[in-house]
Amino acid sequence: MRITAFSPALPCLLAATLLAGCGGGDDSTGSTPTGPVATVTVTPGSQQFASLGVTATFTAQLRDAEGAVITGQSVVWSRRGSGATQVSGTGVVTVVANGVDTIVATSNGRTGQAVVTVQQVPAALALTASATTLTRLGATATLTGALRDANNQPVTGGTIVWTSANPAALPVDGTGKATAARPGSSIVTATAGDVSATITLNVVLSSPVGGPILGAAIACSGGAAGPFPCQGVNLMSFLPVSGVGGGGGIQLNDIWGWVDPATSREYVMVGRNDGIAFVDVTNPLNPTYLGFLPITPGAVANFWHDIKVHNDHAFIVADGAGPHGMQVFDLRILRSHAGVPRDFTANTVYRQINSAHNIFINEASGFAYIVGASGGGTTCGSGLHMVDIRIPTAPSFAGCFADPLTGRARTGYTHDVQCVIYSGPDAAHAGREICFGSNETAISIADVTNKSAPTALSRASYPQLGYTHQGWLTQDQRHFLINDELDESGQGVTGTRTLVWDVTDLDDPILVTQFLGPNRAIDHNHYIRGNRMFASTYQFGLRVIDVSAPTAPSALGFFDTAPELPNTPGFGGSWSNYPFFPSGNIVVTSGNEGLFVLQVP
């Protein structure tokens, strides 16, 4: 048996793996022994970056269970998250995109992490424009803002706010689209955070007849007023859709007017698919956008709105809009306009209808006639839903009328109506309240004097019927002139057709003539003032027709609000017009184009 001598140093050697020293000796000249990795700490623990393309070095400190630092161990670097960073094997992080990443350091199964947040902050802004000089009204320039951060890297997703120093000439919408509204120039400013930049745009109109005079009407001469084909109609001013508060996807529809009895100022209410815009047109060369009344909360934006006025209040309906009701708005609020467009609120909403296609008000009687009601409430077969509005802010239901022998569904659907206190030649009905309805398949004449017991007087249809749309009485109430919205497109009619009815006997209306326009553009809304009919004819624009001899109408002029559209059946261009201002100015809406103030000499 071999006996091995015991060495007194052996216990100290064995303990060296666990203890910093042995026997009280000084071990400061050697490396400190440590245990397995227990924690990994990444420095910095979090980091925020405002620019792309920059780098930062992260470090990992390893410690054992006793808190002693471990050196010499390998560390594996990785990342997880949105992909905002790249990380090298040595902990160098490169910022490549906006987002949030977690930087992970791993050693011997233990991990530590740091959070990196990247959100670029614009430090510079450069502007470009598709054009800096616009030569026709309605022309647009697309403005583009290039944002860069402090490391000169492009900023994505930054929000740019656009403003025009002269919105009357060059309004600019939220996407950076500037529209030529009238001759002039404007400094357009783009702002993103703390940085901004400017660019100057100009409207210098060209015309086949020489050029317009600043601050004056653009006369129709040589077949054009600036870029707009015309005959006998002058252009006073033009506001593009953005000039009445509209942005992308907004179109204009109906229009009506109001003259303030206290100030004699002239205002129009302009239908947008999301509500009603208010514009002061007292100065026809410089109309002023005052503000906007949104659709009723809970309603849905849609193409069809209609507005009429009684006793200094506007009454507004919308079709296909869900629970919109009839908004009532006190127009006298417009007197306090402070120079900055504002949002308005309806004074009340009449809830006995939901959606409706149209409204007419007989100001002589103080009754409103809501037509084409649908979607709930008292629809009255989509005929006349009659409302007492003599107290405008307290409208009350008065009764229904529908002629079930008319309308496509034979419920008496009325698309539009005109109601008057009758003073025409039929003595049997003198002084009665008579309504002339355009009922899809026929005209419908009714006595609604007694709202609880209205009476159908007559109805009449006609050849090549497409859709009986809207009509208006001559001043002497002897003739009723109607338009058909679909006869040009589907019934073989060779020109825009106006149908003239002799209504001297209300019990027996007679179609006496048909007046055809020079092309097949669809007629939409027309109104008669004196001996002139002003007809919004979609893609052909506004037509002015002499009806002094109703059985032999003759063309006086036109103004094409959408010259880029062909004068064929289609639903672009002029929706409606209002020709009843004391000034004689005619205000016209054109769906995608905007608001026109026109003058017929």
Side-chain angles (χ1 to χ4, degrees), residues 104-120:
V104 181
T106 303
S107 182
N108 288 338
R110 301 289 184 177
T111 62
Q113 62 186 38
V115 176
V116 173
T117 302
V118 183
Q119 182 55 62
Q120 287 174 285

Side-chain angles (χ1 to χ4, degrees), residues 47-52 84 95 97-100 116-122 149-150 155-159:
Q47 188 85 2
Q48 291 186 333
F49 295 93
S51 302
L52 304 186
V95 177
N98 290 302
V100 179
V116 173
T117 302
V118 183
Q119 182 55 62
Q120 287 174 285
V121 175
D149 61 27
V155 175
T156 58
T159 299

